[in-house]
Amino acid sequence: MPDTLFSEFPAVSSKQWKQKIQYELAGADYNDTLVWESPEGIKVKPFYHRDEDQSLMSADTRQESFRICQEIFVFDVAKSALRAKDVVNRGAESIRFIIEDAQTDIEALIKELPENLTLFFELKFLSAEFTTKLQKALLSRSFRWFADTDPIGHFAKSGNWYTTEPTDNLEVLQLVAKNTNAISVNAALYHNAGANIVQQLAYSLAHVNEYFNKFESIDQPILIKMAVGSNYFFEIAKLRAMRTLFITLAAEYNHKLSCHLLVSPGKRNKTLYDYNVNMLRTTSECMSAILGGADTVANMPYDSLYHKSNEFAERIARNQLLILKHESYFDKVANPADGSYYIESLTTQLAEKALALFKEIEAAGGFIAQLKSGTIQRKIAESAEKEQQLFDSGKEILLGTNKQINKNDRMAHDLELFPFVKIKPRKTLITPIIEKRLAEKMEQDRLESEKA
């Protein structure tokens, strides 16, 4: 576009804009009235201008269109295989199989699937033997696939390592990762447990760094699973910052491949009552994921808190993404946030703050050491409690739950799943990081009142 296209309009500097705003405020203080501070300590201004900061970060992004992912829990292989084939016919471009049984017949599971899909195998165990079997089953097919294996994430979430005696978890993973996309990082855990965005980025980066440190070389892409919340622009910036930070860290280890971002809406702001609002939340969050550069997006069914997997809710979740891709054309621009001074400013500030926190973690012995000392868990708990207080006081709003409440809504009769934190007393090596939703206590009180 020629520079002279709008030459008839005089340029307006940021100073002139601020003077005009200050005049319109009629004596009110600019900073007190219009500038607010996020939980990450970022001061958000009412406008952003290119002459204010020349060092804004233009983030790397995905190299191709995002893929629509469907999650399938594998219990009965034959039924799961039929279901996978069906959802692909209905628009899914990627499947995430959740596998708990090391005896699962992978060949039967993928036999009827068309080529060129992206497949994720989220394994609830650690087995070099199973991963070898997985690799052989996929060898003659043209899938892009990831064996989603994250022993450090399992350690953080459960408090214990996988049982792989006498071999160390990371030694097993090193065997598994040879010639296989097997290393993943469950960064969604930190979001769902209540960490703020800077913490999510720093902990995810430190989590990745443990794998880089433990293995001499990693020549396969690393899968990073992330969750996004309702803070639209911040979540876009978060994903952009994550990819940029990963590339910066990977370069230190001569790792030249980008990460693969598999992104889903987070659980933290989802609600049991007025559950249809969850569809609005997930639509906005999927938009953030796409604009932030997610490689693959797996939407969350609106009723997944309290209903078992069902065709209707999964079709709605999938159709949300199909509409964004094929009717709203969200896949047509590679990096749509480029050139937005606001988003680029957020990206830069989040990345800088996360990098500073990452360096603190490394100086204190690294991510695993900080988990063992309880520091990571304590910091997340503190952040989660601050957000909980905002919700309890009504300053953070969940529509239909602590604002515009439908008092006639009844849910006790409709619960197929237990929607709250499950407490299972057991011996653990560390305090586990617990995922918890903001509305849980309020919902428990309402369920009790239904019995009265």
Side-chain angles (χ1 to χ4, degrees):
M1 181 181 293
D3 291 339
T4 58
L5 184 62
F6 298 109
S7 58
E8 65 267 34
F9 298 104
V12 181
S13 68
S14 61
K15 183 178 180 181
Q16 289 173 296
W17 276 114
K18 192 170 180 179
Q19 286 173 340
K20 179 63 176 175
I21 292 169
Q22 190 67 66
Y23 173 79
E24 296 293 339
L25 286 173
D29 185 78
Y30 174 88
N31 289 319
D32 291 344
T33 307
L34 298 179
V35 178
W36 59 274
E37 187 170 321
S38 78
E40 296 78 20
I42 292 175
K43 292 185 176 180
V44 180
K45 300 178 292 186
F47 76 97
Y48 288 79
H49 196 287
R50 67 179 180 181
D51 68 8
E52 290 188 316
D53 194 343
Q54 301 301 319
S55 62
L56 296 181
M57 184 178 292
S58 181
D60 293 282
T61 187
R62 61 176 182 269
Q63 299 302 307
E64 55 188 33
S65 173
F66 76 95
R67 289 186 170 245
I68 297 170
C69 184
Q70 178 81 50
E71 183 178 286
I72 296 178
F73 182 85
V74 179
F75 178 72
D76 182 307
V77 171
K79 289 181 180 177
S80 296
L82 283 173
R83 188 169 159 222
K85 184 179 178 182
D86 178 62
V87 299
V88 169
N89 289 336
R90 291 167 177 258
E93 302 156 324
S94 174
I95 306 288
R96 177 164 62 174
F97 292 109
I98 301 174
I99 300 175
E100 289 190 334
D101 185 357
Q103 303 306 314
T104 299
D105 186 345
I106 295 298
E107 290 187 4
L109 187 64
I110 65 172
K111 183 178 179 181
E112 298 296 324
L113 291 178
E115 305 294 328
N116 300 316
L117 293 175
T118 299
L119 302 180
F120 304 91
F121 298 90
E122 183 174 320
L123 308 181
K124 298 299 185 181
F125 52 86
L126 182 60
S127 167
E129 182 182 352
F130 181 84
T131 309
T132 300
K133 182 173 74 171
L134 184 64
Q135 190 172 11
K136 286 180 179 177
L138 291 159
L139 192 60
S140 62
R141 305 294 300 274
S142 60
F143 300 125
R144 184 180 189 189
W145 63 279
F146 295 84
D148 179 355
T149 314
D150 181 16
I152 295 175
H154 178 75
F155 181 57
K157 186 173 182 177
S158 72
N160 290 315
W161 295 104
Y162 289 112
T163 303
T164 55
E165 295 294 347
T167 310
D168 172 289
N169 270 206
L170 296 177
E171 289 179 12
V172 175
L173 182 59
Q174 193 161 17
L175 291 173
V176 166
K178 288 183 178 178
N179 304 314
T180 305
N181 300 346
I183 299 175
S184 70
V185 169
N186 182 15
L189 172 64
Y190 313 126
H191 172 97
N192 290 327
N196 66 42
I197 290 177
V198 168
Q199 289 172 330
Q200 292 172 48
L201 291 169
Y203 298 160
S204 302
L205 197 65
H207 191 151
V208 171
N209 195 51
E210 289 289 345
Y211 290 129
F212 278 131
N213 270 328
K214 299 296 180 185
F215 304 153
E216 289 184 6
S217 64
I218 299 174
D219 57 2
Q220 303 294 327
I222 292 179
L223 173 66
I224 300 182
K225 297 183 295 184
M226 300 193 72
V228 288
S230 58
N231 195 341
Y232 188 72
F233 294 108
F234 272 71
E235 295 294 343
I236 294 171
K238 178 177 81 176
L239 298 184
R240 288 160 55 87
M242 183 71 253
R243 194 183 294 276
T244 301
L245 288 168
F246 176 88
I247 291 171
T248 302
L249 176 66
E252 297 297 316
Y253 294 90
N254 296 315
H255 180 85
K256 296 179 174 60
L257 300 172
S258 182
C259 53
H260 187 99
L261 294 182
L262 171 57
V263 185
S264 301
K267 300 174 186 175
R268 189 151 171 81
N269 67 337
K270 303 305 179 291
T271 58
L272 182 61
Y273 287 90
D274 218 339
Y275 49 76
N276 286 322
V277 180
N278 289 333
M279 280 188 270
L280 303 178
R281 297 182 181 115
T282 55
T283 299
S284 167
E285 289 158 5
C286 286
M287 289 166 66
S288 290
I290 297 164
L291 297 177
D295 297 287
T296 304
V297 182
N299 196 9
M300 177 183 181
Y302 72 94
D303 64 349
S304 60
L305 295 178
Y306 63 93
H307 270 171
K308 294 177 182 177
S309 175
N310 64 90
E311 196 276 336
F312 177 77
E314 289 178 356
R315 178 165 60 86
I316 294 295
R318 189 171 56 250
N319 285 349
Q320 288 173 261
L321 290 172
L322 287 168
I323 289 169
L324 289 176
K325 186 166 191 175
H326 298 297
E327 295 186 27
S328 302
Y329 306 112
F330 267 55
D331 65 324
K332 297 303 181 186
V333 179
N335 194 353
D338 244 5
S340 165
Y341 303 136
Y342 177 38
I343 294 176
E344 289 185 352
S345 175
L346 291 180
T347 302
T348 301
Q349 291 182 77
L350 289 173
E352 289 174 348
K353 286 177 177 287
L355 189 59
L357 180 53
F358 165 75
K359 290 177 179 178
E360 289 178 18
I361 294 167
E362 292 305 302
F367 188 66
I368 293 176
Q370 290 275 280
L371 283 173
K372 289 179 177 178
S373 70
T375 302
I376 300 293
Q377 297 91 319
R378 178 172 52 81
K379 294 291 187 182
I380 291 176
E382 289 171 358
S383 178
E385 180 56 30
K386 288 178 182 177
E387 187 181 18
Q388 189 68 54
Q389 289 174 3
L390 290 174
F391 171 78
D392 292 343
S393 66
K395 292 180 181 178
E396 181 162 338
I397 294 170
L398 293 183
L399 195 64
T401 297
N402 67 343
K403 184 80 170 178
Q404 302 295 338
I405 301 169
N406 177 6
K407 295 182 180 179
N408 296 320
D409 201 1
R410 297 288 182 269
M411 288 301 299
H413 65 287
D414 207 16
L415 302 184
E416 297 176 353
L417 301 172
F418 185 72
F420 308 115
V421 171
K422 299 177 179 68
I423 306 297
K424 294 181 179 179
R426 65 187 188 280
K427 186 176 180 180
T428 59
L429 297 173
I430 63 169
T431 302
I433 296 174
I434 305 296
E435 297 179 347
K436 186 177 181 181
R437 295 181 298 107
L438 287 167
E440 289 199 14
K441 178 63 170 64
M442 187 173 288
E443 290 170 349
Q444 287 171 319
D445 291 342
R446 288 184 69 175
L447 286 172
E448 281 297 317
S449 70
E450 286 185 38
K451 299 174 184 178

